[in-house]
Amino acid sequence: MKLMQPADGSGVGPRTPGVAAGRLDAEALARNFDDIAPPLSDHEALVAADRCYFCYDAPCITACPTAIDIPLFIREIATGAPEAAARTIFDANILGGMCARVCPTETLCEQACVREAAEGRPVEIGRLQRYATDILMAQGEHPFSRAGATGRRVAVVGAGPAGLACAHRLAMLGHDVVIYEAKPKGGGLNEYGIAAYKTPDGFAQAELDWLLGIGGIEIRHGQALGRAVTLEGLRAEHDAVFLGMGLGGVKALGLGDLEGVRPAVEFIAELRQAEELAALPIGRRVVVVGGGMTAIDAAVQSKLLGADEVTIVYRRGRDRMAASGHEQEHALGAGVRIVSGAVPVALHGEDRLQAVECAYTRDGSAGLEVTGERFTLPADQLFVAIGQSLAGVPDGLAVEGGKIQVGAGGRTGLEGVWAGGDCTPGGEDLTVTAVAQGRDAAMDINAALTGAGAARAAE
Amino acid sequence: MADLRCDFVGIKSPNPFWLASAPPTDKEYNVRRAFEAGWGGVVWKTLGTDPPIVNVNGPRYGAVWGADRRLLGLNNIELITDRPLDVNLREIKAVKRDYPDRAMVVSLMVPCEEEAWRAILGMVEETGADGVELNFGCPHGMSERGMGSAVGQVPEYIEMVARWCKAHTRMPVIVKLTPNITDIRYPARAAHRGGADAVSLINTVSSITGVDLDSFSPEPSIDGKGSHGGYCGPAVKPIALNMVAEIARDPETRGLPISGIGGVTTWRDAAEFIALGAGSVQVCTAAMTYGFKVVQEMIAGLEQWMDAKGHANLDAIRGRAVPNVTDWQYLNLNYVTKARIDQDVCIKCGRCYAVCEDTSHQAIAMKPGRVFEVIDAECVACNLCVNVCPVENCITMERLEAGALDERTGQVVRPEYANWTTHPNNPMARAAE
């Protein structure tokens, strides 16, 4: 358990009323936001690697959205060749470094590990992946080189995991890529989302720089689709377009607008970009609505900033939360309270939020029903994490269930336009899924541009 | 409680666990610590003639490791004692005086001259030691000077020196054998002919533990060069067990007492050596890996097993496995087994499938849901799947009863014993009477 000490001197601490900065001193904050899973030492890695059984047609590979050859890379670690292990990882997943940090491995590869079935303790695949990728990335040289120039230009919208994976693979295949990014920094949710303690020390930007080491990728910032650039314009100027802009909108609670109520993603982004955590104001009492990773990340980080009471309110039972059991345990261990089977029904306060009134729910014949049983949580801040939504979809793209519809290889209904990542269906909005979709779209774009496969037949 | 007392060619010890002649038994200080820890006896590190030899001043040991840096094999290029003869003799006498109930055997290696052996035997007798062990085994250093394995590799020399020793001492004479030969029975027979009271084996196996891939020097490296050393530890145990068994079942040496050496690491290893005919066991690498305290586990474990099985003393287990060691040609060809996979404990790693499919007989099917099943019509019962399965007792070999159909051969399993000597495919087969 991380320590949380009241800041001395200022008189501000976790129990200071209202919303206040500097509830904890700099030392406590540094400790709280330090690397949550410190890297394995060489010997730890060898011991952990030795536990892998090198399964035939390994279930962990099947469970990995990017299908990393996990038994092979672990054997490469076990035999003292972590650089080779890292290449095996990056061959399938160029963001293997970030995925090693943020993947919910307990519901992916490690859940599938036969040792999980055998003894309830899987091979530590995520930590081993971080071990190998850290070593190769620390050597500073980009491990891949580009194929001969094809003379083709591809536009990628969004420098998040899907866009970066797509761009890297295209560059490797010899195409030139321009990434059109709305924000001042690349990385997408790796940079603006995700709890800070999972990716400390500026890893997202370091990984981005390392990835761009392949060459042939230009990132243009401030280029939001629909404002600075249009899909039509991009199509006209490029041989292909990949849309990986994620989900720019947030779903609102619809209970009115009081100061202190804001989207959780906004709070997390602000925290990730904060120069000094002690300057970041946080409520004494914080309520987070939602049941996914964003809710967990917002709640835990509120606690780590020094909030005295943090409560997650989720409408269904805990077993239905999108956040894994492991993540829920992490939140509970950090001192977050999880109230399941309840929804906010009213916000109280004059100008500022003072309390959140909730009602319990039950499963009824027509789905989830709100009961008359109510309770009120005093709250200085309410972070809303009930989902994000697609924003600014260009005309001509089929949207269903709030996502851009794509076929095999990420093809949209528009000629020469592909899409992947959170703006498309499938994959629970995970970083690793976005990487897989971006990479696969790149392969399909390459096939179309170089006349391989079906494209060749069409000519 | 099982009685672990040991009487080996008249040398008595409270248990059969002796420390082998090696670095741990080079000095009074170490041997006293060993006896305090509970070791039944020691074979004092090999004495030679003065002036003492010298050792290298760089690394003496190399190693082979398993998972978690577990030491599996150790290799040494240390020579016999590098301390003056009189110092060793004085210390042997002092220790034996203070621990009269422990076995004190002294290892010897002097030039192949009768006078040299006669002289040193007299000096050892004066210490009150219980016996001597003739070091005809060390594969490095001394052998280049015509001693150690240079003697042990020539049966005639073994016989000659053993005979000299028997002529010049009343102490029991144990001949330590080198495994660096083609057939261990020849040196054992020679020792027996020479009148040796017992043999001890194995000494270390000539080895290079590895090569440094930066400097291209063999390990252990002395200023960029390496020399073969003697390999010991858990890795050599199977080699030692076979050699002990060969001597135990050889008509010419049957009944010749054997002190078993080679990778004894746990009580179980010791029990296996004893079951193959060893009267005592000698340990080195386990002590050099974990310290002298390991003997306490060996004593407790052996006692517990013997109690559980109702074996009252060492005589009750000694040599019990020897009658079951036979030649391949006498193995029962009508013993037919098939691999069986217990689906309840299978963790679906698929290693059995990978090895059977790639390297064996394509006798395991991989079915939907990663269900692995044996195909009886292909299974030759090679046991590889059992050996690679990470779950103990998940895959077992099940015997087909007589009368059952072996789907692989299409033959019904016959009840009688039948071996290669009478098999129709054997050109040398004797006609059935």
Side-chain angles (χ1 to χ4, degrees):
Chain A
M1 184 59 207
K2 294 179 178 186
L3 294 176
M4 291 170 215
Q5 300 161 346
D8 27 70
S10 68
V12 177
R15 289 190 298 280
T16 301
V19 178
R23 290 181 183 274
L24 301 179
D25 63 35
E27 198 185 319
L29 286 170
R31 226 176 5 248
N32 281 356
F33 285 89
D34 197 7
D35 209 340
I36 190 173
L40 294 171
S41 69
D42 290 341
H43 182 74
E44 286 174 319
L46 290 176
V47 173
D50 190 72
R51 295 186 67 241
C52 174
Y53 286 146
F54 205 72
C55 294
Y56 179 80
D57 191 16
C60 54
I61 304 178
T62 310
C64 174
T66 53
I68 293 170
D69 192 337
I70 294 164
L72 179 60
F73 94 67
I74 292 180
R75 189 172 168 83
E76 286 163 339
I77 292 174
T79 55
E83 294 90 347
R87 281 200 64 113
T88 298
I89 293 162
F90 291 134
D91 274 342
N93 180 338
I94 196 64
L95 294 181
M98 181 60 79
C99 289
R101 289 163 168 76
V102 306
C103 261
T105 51
E106 65 278 359
T107 63
L108 298 170
C109 52
E110 291 179 16
Q111 185 179 56
C113 177
V114 299
R115 293 199 83 142
E116 171 65 23
E119 61 211 77
R121 202 164 74 85
V123 174
E124 292 183 279
I125 299 168
R127 295 186 78 194
L128 285 165
Q129 179 166 321
R130 172 162 175 192
Y131 171 79
T133 52
D134 277 0
I135 287 176
L136 190 67
M137 290 172 77
Q139 294 176 357
E141 275 179 44
H142 190 84
F144 297 97
S145 53
R146 299 184 69 191
T150 60
R152 305 289 190 144
R153 271 165 56 87
V154 181
V156 168
V157 179
L164 291 174
C166 182
H168 183 272
R169 182 58 61 104
L170 288 168
M172 200 165 82
L173 293 167
H175 309 295
D176 290 325
V177 182
V178 182
I179 301 182
Y180 297 86
E181 168 57 50
K183 292 202 160 70
K185 286 186 186 175
L189 288 176
N190 290 354
E191 176 59 38
Y192 292 97
I194 298 170
Y197 48 78
K198 289 180 186 169
T199 167
D201 305 323
F203 180 76
Q205 287 309 297
E207 183 180 49
L208 175 64
D209 293 342
W210 170 86
L211 179 146
L212 295 177
I214 182 99
I217 303 172
E218 178 198 348
I219 302 188
R220 296 182 188 167
H221 295 282
Q223 304 289 307
L225 185 66
R227 295 202 289 275
V229 292
T230 64
L231 181 56
E232 273 321 300
L234 294 177
R235 290 177 78 189
E237 293 169 26
H238 301 81
D239 296 303
V241 179
F242 174 80
L243 300 174
M245 65 279 206
L247 300 171
V250 287
K251 291 179 182 164
L253 208 48
L255 295 177
D257 201 13
L258 282 175
E259 195 183 334
V261 181
R262 65 194 298 205
V265 287
E266 202 179 290
F267 163 65
I268 292 169
E270 186 179 313
L271 192 152
R272 284 292 304 274
Q273 300 304 313
E275 297 267 318
E276 197 190 343
L277 289 173
L280 208 60
I282 190 71
R284 174 186 179 184
R285 296 185 174 100
V286 176
V287 173
V288 179
V289 188
M293 288 299 305
T294 304
I296 297 279
D297 286 352
V300 170
Q301 294 190 109
S302 296
K303 194 73 190 167
L304 297 180
L305 280 174
D308 189 33
E309 292 173 19
V310 178
T311 309
I312 289 176
V313 177
Y314 176 60
R315 59 190 173 141
R316 300 182 192 274
R318 273 184 56 189
D319 57 327
R320 301 280 295 277
M321 288 176 81
S324 69
H326 173 84
E327 289 290 342
Q328 293 176 38
E329 290 299 325
H330 175 61
L332 293 169
V336 171
R337 181 175 164 229
I338 299 178
V339 176
S340 56
V343 289
V345 289
L347 306 180
H348 299 291
E350 294 294 315
D351 303 319
R352 291 202 52 84
L353 178 72
Q354 287 184 322
V356 178
E357 189 176 343
C358 301
Y360 285 107
T361 60
R362 66 171 171 237
D363 279 315
S365 52
L368 203 65
E369 294 172 358
V370 175
T371 70
E373 195 183 347
R374 296 190 170 197
F375 61 95
T376 298
L377 298 170
D380 305 303
Q381 282 181 308
L382 172 64
F383 296 140
V384 182
I386 57 174
Q388 286 142 262
S389 59
L390 198 54
V393 182
D395 291 340
L397 290 168
V399 174
E400 203 179 304
K403 303 270 189 170
I404 298 171
Q405 292 303 294
V406 287
R411 291 184 184 212
T412 69
L414 282 181
E415 175 79 30
V417 180
W418 283 256
D422 289 358
C423 64
T424 60
E428 300 169 344
D429 297 349
L430 297 175
T431 303
V432 65
T433 319
V435 171
Q437 292 169 343
R439 175 200 68 189
D440 294 347
M443 295 308 291
D444 200 60
I445 291 168
N446 179 62
L449 296 185
T450 60
R456 183 189 301 273
E459 288 171 6
Chain B
M1 188 72 87
D3 182 358
L4 295 192
R5 283 179 303 172
C6 177
D7 182 342
F8 184 76
V9 294
I11 303 169
K12 294 184 173 58
S13 58
N15 62 58
F17 302 108
W18 298 0
L19 282 170
S21 170
T25 61
D26 191 26
K27 293 199 306 286
E28 176 175 358
Y29 181 82
N30 305 62
V31 175
R32 283 183 185 274
R33 284 179 65 83
F35 284 160
E36 287 305 314
W39 289 89
V42 300
V43 182
W44 199 277
K45 185 168 168 82
T46 308
L47 310 184
T49 48
D50 281 338
I53 56 82
V54 295
N55 272 301
V56 293
N57 296 299
R60 300 179 187 184
Y61 306 120
V64 169
W65 295 276
D68 203 0
R69 217 174 147 79
R70 176 180 289 258
L71 195 143
L72 299 180
L74 189 69
N75 150 304
N76 85 86
I77 55 169
E78 182 172 298
L79 304 185
I80 64 174
T81 185
D82 54 10
R83 305 186 317 146
L85 181 58
D86 67 313
V87 172
N88 276 303
L89 293 169
R90 199 164 57 236
E91 290 184 2
I92 291 167
K93 188 169 189 173
V95 177
K96 180 61 194 177
R97 182 190 63 218
D98 292 347
Y99 295 89
D101 66 323
R102 309 301 171 92
M104 174 65 79
V105 177
V106 178
S107 175
L108 301 175
M109 184 194 290
V110 293
C112 251
E113 298 153 11
E114 185 167 6
E115 180 51 29
W117 286 96
R118 192 195 60 77
I120 201 164
L121 284 165
M123 289 185 260
V124 173
E125 270 186 15
E126 284 184 9
T127 64
D130 300 301
V132 291
E133 185 181 76
L134 314 186
N135 183 345
F136 295 158
C138 281
H140 51 268
M142 303 310 292
S143 54
E144 295 157 22
R145 307 176 197 179
M147 293 182 271
S149 64
V151 177
Q153 286 167 338
V154 183
E156 292 75 12
Y157 292 173
I158 293 173
E159 182 178 343
M160 176 178 72
V161 178
R163 185 166 286 123
W164 291 341
C165 291
K166 283 306 291 180
H168 295 300
T169 182
R170 55 173 172 72
M171 293 182 289
V173 172
I174 305 167
V175 171
K176 187 168 183 177
L177 302 179
T178 176
N180 301 307
I181 40 85
T182 50
D183 188 337
I184 196 68
R185 292 173 300 180
Y186 290 92
R189 289 167 186 163
H192 192 39
R193 281 197 302 273
D197 298 280
V199 290
S200 56
L201 70 157
I202 58 173
N203 206 312
T204 54
V205 182
S206 292
S207 61
I208 290 172
T209 49
V211 175
D212 184 307
L213 292 179
D214 293 319
S215 67
F216 291 106
S217 169
E219 299 278 9
S221 176
I222 307 289
D223 196 19
K225 306 283 186 197
S227 183
H228 76 264
Y231 198 43
C232 55
V236 308
K237 182 188 131 190
I239 298 165
L241 283 178
N242 175 58
M243 290 186 166
V244 165
E246 287 299 291
I247 294 171
R249 74 190 188 96
D250 180 28
E252 287 189 42
T253 53
R254 186 169 291 158
L256 177 66
I258 300 168
S259 187
I261 313 168
V264 175
T265 308
T266 68
W267 70 267
R268 192 180 293 274
D269 301 325
E272 291 172 15
F273 271 94
I274 294 169
L276 282 173
S280 70
V281 293
Q282 298 185 29
V283 178
C284 173
T285 309
M288 290 184 71
T289 307
Y290 302 107
F292 288 146
K293 191 177 175 178
V294 285
V295 74
Q296 292 160 20
E297 163 269 307
M298 294 180 186
I299 291 169
L302 188 60
E303 269 176 357
Q304 182 195 297
W305 170 71
M306 289 174 66
D307 287 343
K309 297 290 184 181
H311 302 307
N313 51 45
L314 298 177
D315 288 338
I317 55 174
R318 183 175 302 116
R320 288 282 292 272
V322 175
N324 295 328
V325 182
T326 185
D327 295 339
W328 185 91
Q329 62 181 341
Y330 300 123
L331 297 175
N332 184 5
L333 295 175
N334 283 341
Y335 176 75
V336 181
T337 68
K338 297 287 177 190
R340 290 287 172 264
I341 301 172
D342 184 343
Q343 300 297 339
D344 291 337
V345 296
C346 172
I347 59 171
K348 305 183 187 300
C349 68
R351 276 164 65 161
C352 57
Y353 175 80
V355 297
C356 191
E357 195 71 8
D358 285 354
T359 72
S360 296
H361 300 85
Q362 298 77 48
I364 293 178
M366 182 174 174
K367 298 191 168 171
R370 298 182 68 80
V371 173
F372 298 94
E373 287 178 3
V374 175
I375 304 165
D376 281 5
E378 303 295 342
C379 179
V380 303
C382 71
N383 213 39
L384 184 60
C385 55
V386 175
N387 297 145
V388 303
C389 178
V391 180
E392 200 175 358
N393 294 322
C394 173
I395 311 182
T396 49
M397 279 293 160
E398 205 170 274
R399 183 175 192 172
L400 293 189
E401 293 302 324
L405 176 73
D406 179 350
E407 290 181 29
R408 181 177 69 89
T409 58
Q411 306 281 314
V412 170
V413 177
R414 300 175 62 86
E416 71 274 10
Y417 160 84
N419 65 44
W420 172 245
T421 62
T422 56
H423 194 278
N425 285 16
N426 182 355
M428 316 275 279
R430 291 161 298 189
E433 298 291 329

PDB file of all heavy atoms in Angstrom, chain B residues 32 58 84 92 114 143 161 184 220 232 245 288 301 324 373 379 382 410:
ATOM      1  N   ARG B  32      36.363 -31.495  11.110  1.00  0.00           N
ATOM      2  CA  ARG B  32      35.687 -31.374  12.413  1.00  0.00           C
ATOM      3  C   ARG B  32      34.279 -30.792  12.235  1.00  0.00           C
ATOM      4  O   ARG B  32      33.323 -31.255  12.849  1.00  0.00           O
ATOM      5  CB  ARG B  32      36.502 -30.477  13.361  1.00  0.00           C
ATOM      6  CG  ARG B  32      37.716 -31.173  13.950  1.00  0.00           C
ATOM      7  CD  ARG B  32      38.457 -30.271  14.942  1.00  0.00           C
ATOM      8  NE  ARG B  32      39.667 -30.926  15.400  1.00  0.00           N
ATOM      9  CZ  ARG B  32      39.704 -31.786  16.448  1.00  0.00           C
ATOM     10  NH1 ARG B  32      38.615 -32.058  17.118  1.00  0.00           N
ATOM     11  NH2 ARG B  32      40.839 -32.356  16.789  1.00  0.00           N
ATOM     12  N   GLY B  58      44.209 -19.297 -10.261  1.00  0.00           N
ATOM     13  CA  GLY B  58      42.978 -18.725 -10.813  1.00  0.00           C
ATOM     14  C   GLY B  58      41.853 -19.661 -10.432  1.00  0.00           C
ATOM     15  O   GLY B  58      42.020 -20.483  -9.534  1.00  0.00           O
ATOM     16  N   PRO B  84      51.786 -29.843   3.285  1.00  0.00           N
ATOM     17  CA  PRO B  84      52.821 -30.826   3.604  1.00  0.00           C
ATOM     18  C   PRO B  84      52.237 -32.102   4.204  1.00  0.00           C
ATOM     19  O   PRO B  84      51.254 -32.051   4.942  1.00  0.00           O
ATOM     20  CB  PRO B  84      53.712 -30.105   4.619  1.00  0.00           C
ATOM     21  CG  PRO B  84      53.471 -28.649   4.379  1.00  0.00           C
ATOM     22  CD  PRO B  84      52.047 -28.539   3.924  1.00  0.00           C
ATOM     23  N   ILE B  92      44.988 -35.665  10.756  1.00  0.00           N
ATOM     24  CA  ILE B  92      44.169 -36.888  10.661  1.00  0.00           C
ATOM     25  C   ILE B  92      44.155 -37.584  12.016  1.00  0.00           C
ATOM     26  O   ILE B  92      43.104 -37.996  12.524  1.00  0.00           O
ATOM     27  CB  ILE B  92      44.736 -37.824   9.569  1.00  0.00           C
ATOM     28  CG1 ILE B  92      44.515 -37.211   8.183  1.00  0.00           C
ATOM     29  CG2 ILE B  92      44.110 -39.204   9.659  1.00  0.00           C
ATOM     30  CD1 ILE B  92      45.307 -37.890   7.061  1.00  0.00           C
ATOM     31  N   GLU B 114      56.784 -49.337  -5.593  1.00  0.00           N
ATOM     32  CA  GLU B 114      56.347 -50.057  -4.396  1.00  0.00           C
ATOM     33  C   GLU B 114      56.812 -49.364  -3.125  1.00  0.00           C
ATOM     34  O   GLU B 114      56.075 -49.246  -2.150  1.00  0.00           O
ATOM     35  CB  GLU B 114      56.869 -51.500  -4.428  1.00  0.00           C
ATOM     36  CG  GLU B 114      56.349 -52.323  -3.258  1.00  0.00           C
ATOM     37  CD  GLU B 114      56.584 -53.825  -3.413  1.00  0.00           C
ATOM     38  OE1 GLU B 114      57.253 -54.200  -4.402  1.00  0.00           O
ATOM     39  OE2 GLU B 114      56.088 -54.578  -2.585  1.00  0.00           O
ATOM     40  N   SER B 143      47.356 -37.014 -13.574  1.00  0.00           N
ATOM     41  CA  SER B 143      47.455 -38.064 -14.588  1.00  0.00           C
ATOM     42  C   SER B 143      48.581 -37.763 -15.574  1.00  0.00           C
ATOM     43  O   SER B 143      49.212 -38.664 -16.118  1.00  0.00           O
ATOM     44  CB  SER B 143      46.127 -38.203 -15.337  1.00  0.00           C
ATOM     45  OG  SER B 143      45.729 -36.945 -15.871  1.00  0.00           O
ATOM     46  N   VAL B 161      49.394 -52.183  -7.949  1.00  0.00           N
ATOM     47  CA  VAL B 161      49.462 -51.294  -6.794  1.00  0.00           C
ATOM     48  C   VAL B 161      48.579 -51.805  -5.666  1.00  0.00           C
ATOM     49  O   VAL B 161      48.941 -51.735  -4.479  1.00  0.00           O
ATOM     50  CB  VAL B 161      49.094 -49.852  -7.198  1.00  0.00           C
ATOM     51  CG1 VAL B 161      49.128 -48.937  -5.994  1.00  0.00           C
ATOM     52  CG2 VAL B 161      50.049 -49.345  -8.270  1.00  0.00           C
ATOM     53  N   ILE B 184      33.871 -50.256 -17.194  1.00  0.00           N
ATOM     54  CA  ILE B 184      34.278 -50.147 -15.792  1.00  0.00           C
ATOM     55  C   ILE B 184      34.611 -51.505 -15.166  1.00  0.00           C
ATOM     56  O   ILE B 184      35.294 -51.584 -14.152  1.00  0.00           O
ATOM     57  CB  ILE B 184      33.160 -49.448 -14.976  1.00  0.00           C
ATOM     58  CG1 ILE B 184      33.673 -48.954 -13.602  1.00  0.00           C
ATOM     59  CG2 ILE B 184      31.965 -50.382 -14.764  1.00  0.00           C
ATOM     60  CD1 ILE B 184      34.664 -47.833 -13.682  1.00  0.00           C
ATOM     61  N   PRO B 220      36.672 -23.642 -16.529  1.00  0.00           N
ATOM     62  CA  PRO B 220      37.090 -22.354 -15.978  1.00  0.00           C
ATOM     63  C   PRO B 220      38.344 -21.847 -16.683  1.00  0.00           C
ATOM     64  O   PRO B 220      39.203 -22.633 -17.064  1.00  0.00           O
ATOM     65  CB  PRO B 220      37.364 -22.667 -14.512  1.00  0.00           C
ATOM     66  CG  PRO B 220      37.686 -24.120 -14.487  1.00  0.00           C
ATOM     67  CD  PRO B 220      36.909 -24.746 -15.593  1.00  0.00           C
ATOM     68  N   CYS B 232      31.420 -33.515 -11.788  1.00  0.00           N
ATOM     69  CA  CYS B 232      30.724 -34.229 -10.726  1.00  0.00           C
ATOM     70  C   CYS B 232      29.405 -33.516 -10.454  1.00  0.00           C
ATOM     71  O   CYS B 232      29.058 -32.564 -11.126  1.00  0.00           O
ATOM     72  CB  CYS B 232      31.589 -34.275  -9.480  1.00  0.00           C
ATOM     73  SG  CYS B 232      32.134 -32.647  -8.933  1.00  0.00           S
ATOM     74  N   ALA B 245      26.277 -50.545 -10.832  1.00  0.00           N
ATOM     75  CA  ALA B 245      25.473 -51.736 -11.126  1.00  0.00           C
ATOM     76  C   ALA B 245      26.259 -52.757 -11.939  1.00  0.00           C
ATOM     77  O   ALA B 245      26.153 -53.974 -11.718  1.00  0.00           O
ATOM     78  CB  ALA B 245      24.204 -51.328 -11.875  1.00  0.00           C
ATOM     79  N   MET B 288      29.526 -29.176  -1.258  1.00  0.00           N
ATOM     80  CA  MET B 288      30.176 -27.980  -1.806  1.00  0.00           C
ATOM     81  C   MET B 288      29.161 -26.986  -2.351  1.00  0.00           C
ATOM     82  O   MET B 288      29.506 -25.850  -2.674  1.00  0.00           O
ATOM     83  CB  MET B 288      31.181 -28.367  -2.889  1.00  0.00           C
ATOM     84  CG  MET B 288      32.396 -29.063  -2.301  1.00  0.00           C
ATOM     85  SD  MET B 288      33.668 -29.449  -3.521  1.00  0.00           S
ATOM     86  CE  MET B 288      34.298 -27.826  -3.896  1.00  0.00           C
ATOM     87  N   GLY B 301      15.782 -38.305   5.802  1.00  0.00           N
ATOM     88  CA  GLY B 301      15.007 -38.828   4.691  1.00  0.00           C
ATOM     89  C   GLY B 301      15.177 -40.331   4.533  1.00  0.00           C
ATOM     90  O   GLY B 301      14.204 -41.063   4.310  1.00  0.00           O
ATOM     91  N   ASN B 324      17.617 -56.983 -10.667  1.00  0.00           N
ATOM     92  CA  ASN B 324      16.728 -56.430 -11.706  1.00  0.00           C
ATOM     93  C   ASN B 324      17.480 -55.689 -12.803  1.00  0.00           C
ATOM     94  O   ASN B 324      16.874 -55.191 -13.742  1.00  0.00           O
ATOM     95  CB  ASN B 324      15.700 -55.495 -11.056  1.00  0.00           C
ATOM     96  CG  ASN B 324      14.774 -56.247 -10.127  1.00  0.00           C
ATOM     97  OD1 ASN B 324      14.468 -57.422 -10.369  1.00  0.00           O
ATOM     98  ND2 ASN B 324      14.362 -55.601  -9.050  1.00  0.00           N
ATOM     99  N   GLU B 373      -5.157 -36.753 -26.864  1.00  0.00           N
ATOM    100  CA  GLU B 373      -5.483 -38.164 -26.626  1.00  0.00           C
ATOM    101  C   GLU B 373      -4.501 -39.068 -27.358  1.00  0.00           C
ATOM    102  O   GLU B 373      -4.067 -38.767 -28.476  1.00  0.00           O
ATOM    103  CB  GLU B 373      -6.913 -38.468 -27.097  1.00  0.00           C
ATOM    104  CG  GLU B 373      -7.966 -37.873 -26.177  1.00  0.00           C
ATOM    105  CD  GLU B 373      -9.387 -38.139 -26.687  1.00  0.00           C
ATOM    106  OE1 GLU B 373      -9.545 -38.830 -27.725  1.00  0.00           O
ATOM    107  OE2 GLU B 373     -10.322 -37.626 -26.038  1.00  0.00           O
ATOM    108  N   CYS B 379       0.907 -45.707 -30.869  1.00  0.00           N
ATOM    109  CA  CYS B 379       1.748 -45.564 -29.671  1.00  0.00           C
ATOM    110  C   CYS B 379       2.672 -46.772 -29.497  1.00  0.00           C
ATOM    111  O   CYS B 379       2.211 -47.902 -29.381  1.00  0.00           O
ATOM    112  CB  CYS B 379       0.873 -45.399 -28.428  1.00  0.00           C
ATOM    113  SG  CYS B 379       1.835 -45.253 -26.893  1.00  0.00           S
ATOM    114  N   CYS B 382       6.957 -45.291 -26.031  1.00  0.00           N
ATOM    115  CA  CYS B 382       8.354 -44.874 -25.880  1.00  0.00           C
ATOM    116  C   CYS B 382       8.597 -44.116 -24.586  1.00  0.00           C
ATOM    117  O   CYS B 382       9.717 -44.004 -24.130  1.00  0.00           O
ATOM    118  CB  CYS B 382       8.786 -44.033 -27.078  1.00  0.00           C
ATOM    119  SG  CYS B 382       8.055 -42.382 -27.133  1.00  0.00           S
ATOM    120  N   GLY B 410      -1.545 -55.190 -34.140  1.00  0.00           N
ATOM    121  CA  GLY B 410      -2.604 -56.104 -34.547  1.00  0.00           C
ATOM    122  C   GLY B 410      -2.487 -57.464 -33.868  1.00  0.00           C
ATOM    123  O   GLY B 410      -3.203 -58.403 -34.204  1.00  0.00           O
TER     124      GLY B 410
END
